[in-house]
Amino acid sequence: GESVGLHLPTLSVQEGDNSIINCAYSNSASDYFIWYKQESGKGPQFIIDIRSNMDKRQGQRVTVLLNKTVKHLSLQIAATQPGDSAVYFCAESRDSSYKLIFGSGTRLLVRP
Amino acid sequence: SAVISQKPSRDICQRGTSLTIQCQVDSQVTMMFWYRQQPGQSLTLIATANQGSEATYESGFVIDKFPISRPNLTFSTLTVSNMSPEDSSIYLCSVEGLAGGPRETQYFGPGTRLLVL
C-alpha cells in the first residue's frame, strides 16, 4: 500500500456514529471551500463545497459548516460507514484565483 | 464529473532519468493543474498548465525540472527531469471548468505513484 496519510491526525469513530472533521483556513479573503476524500491508491474525490456567503450546506449524509469569524470549516458525516474510511482534505480558493490551497488532512478510521 | 486518466499509474525509476506523465480528460476543460503529494502529506500545486502557452509555476518549482505541455483542451503532460529519490511522490493532475459545474471546483485524476531509486 502507499503511505498517504501515515503521519496525519486520525479520527476514529464507531460505525453508525456521526463524524466531525475540522479544518482551519488561513486567509480571510478565501471565498470558496471544498472538501475532498482520498482513499488509498486513489486521487482526491470531490465531496461538497461551500461559498463564503453561506454558513451551511448539506449533501447526502454530509454537511459542511463555515465559520468565517474564526476561519473554521467542518465536515459532518452522518451515520459513518466503513466506506467512509479515508483521508479528508479541506481546500480554499482565494478571491478571483484558480488556485486551491489544501489543508494538511485528517485520516478517518471507522471501527466496525 | 469528467473521466480523468493518468499514465503511467505507477513507476519505479533510476536516479538521473526522466519520466513523462500524461493526463487525459474525456471533455474539454478550461484549466488543468499538476500537483505533488509527498508521502504522508497534503497536496502542493506545482503549476497551472496553460493551453498554447508556457505553464505557470508555483514558488519552488521550475520549468527545467518540471516541464509541462498542454497542446489542447483535453491533454497535458508533466515531465519529472533528472530524478532523485526526493522526487518520489504521487503526481496528480486536476481539471477545472467542467460544463455544468462550479467554476472553481477541481476534479482529480487517479495519480501517478513514482518511486526513484
Side-chain angles (χ1 to χ4, degrees):
Chain A
E2 63 185 21
S3 57
V4 170
L6 271 184
H7 307 294
L8 298 175
T10 299
L11 173 66
S12 180
V13 299
Q14 190 72 38
E15 181 179 356
D17 288 352
N18 298 332
S19 302
I20 300 176
I21 301 171
N22 296 304
C23 176
Y25 64 93
S26 57
N27 194 323
S28 56
S30 294
D31 60 356
Y32 181 64
F33 305 87
I34 307 175
W35 279 101
Y36 288 95
K37 172 186 180 184
Q38 188 174 27
E39 297 175 277
S40 182
K42 298 182 179 180
Q45 174 188 358
F46 172 88
I47 302 173
I48 191 168
D49 59 357
I50 189 168
R51 296 195 179 277
S52 59
N53 61 352
M54 304 173 68
D55 54 18
K56 180 179 179 179
R57 190 164 187 224
Q58 288 185 291
Q60 185 177 16
R61 274 202 314 119
V62 295
T63 301
V64 55
L65 298 177
L66 175 63
N67 186 329
K68 295 181 287 294
T69 302
V70 296
K71 293 188 286 188
H72 183 268
L73 194 66
S74 69
L75 177 70
Q76 300 179 1
I77 303 174
T80 313
Q81 303 170 358
D84 295 326
S85 293
V87 177
Y88 289 81
F89 293 99
C90 65
E92 61 184 293
S93 176
R94 300 183 182 178
D95 187 39
S96 301
S97 169
Y98 287 96
K99 296 181 185 179
L100 280 182
I101 308 298
F102 279 80
S104 57
T106 298
R107 172 180 288 278
L108 176 65
L109 292 177
V110 182
R111 305 188 303 271
Chain B
S1 59
V3 175
I4 306 166
S5 60
Q6 286 186 234
K7 291 182 181 179
S9 59
R10 60 178 65 240
D11 209 341
I12 301 174
C13 299
Q14 296 298 318
R15 68 175 67 204
T17 63
S18 298
L19 176 72
T20 295
I21 302 168
Q22 299 178 3
C23 179
Q24 179 75 55
V25 193
D26 67 350
S27 60
Q28 293 186 345
V29 294
T30 307
M31 308 287 287
M32 296 183 78
F33 305 89
W34 287 98
Y35 287 81
R36 181 173 71 183
Q37 186 174 28
Q38 295 181 302
Q41 297 191 24
S42 187
L43 284 76
T44 301
L45 180 63
I46 298 172
T48 303
N50 300 310
Q51 195 263 330
S53 64
E54 189 172 286
T56 305
Y57 290 85
E58 297 301 303
S59 175
F61 298 97
V62 295
I63 188 171
D64 289 346
K65 176 67 175 177
F66 297 102
I68 287 170
S69 77
R70 189 176 173 196
N72 55 52
L73 294 177
T74 63
F75 185 79
S76 178
T77 67
L78 167 75
T79 299
V80 187
S81 302
N82 188 26
M83 288 184 283
S84 67
E86 292 71 33
D87 294 320
S88 298
S89 284
I90 302 169
Y91 291 87
L92 296 146
C93 74
S94 73
V95 305
E96 179 180 294
L98 294 173
R103 180 179 66 87
E104 306 94 326
T105 303
Q106 290 185 27
Y107 297 92
F108 285 82
T112 295
R113 285 140 189 84
L114 172 62
L115 176 63
V116 184
L117 302 178

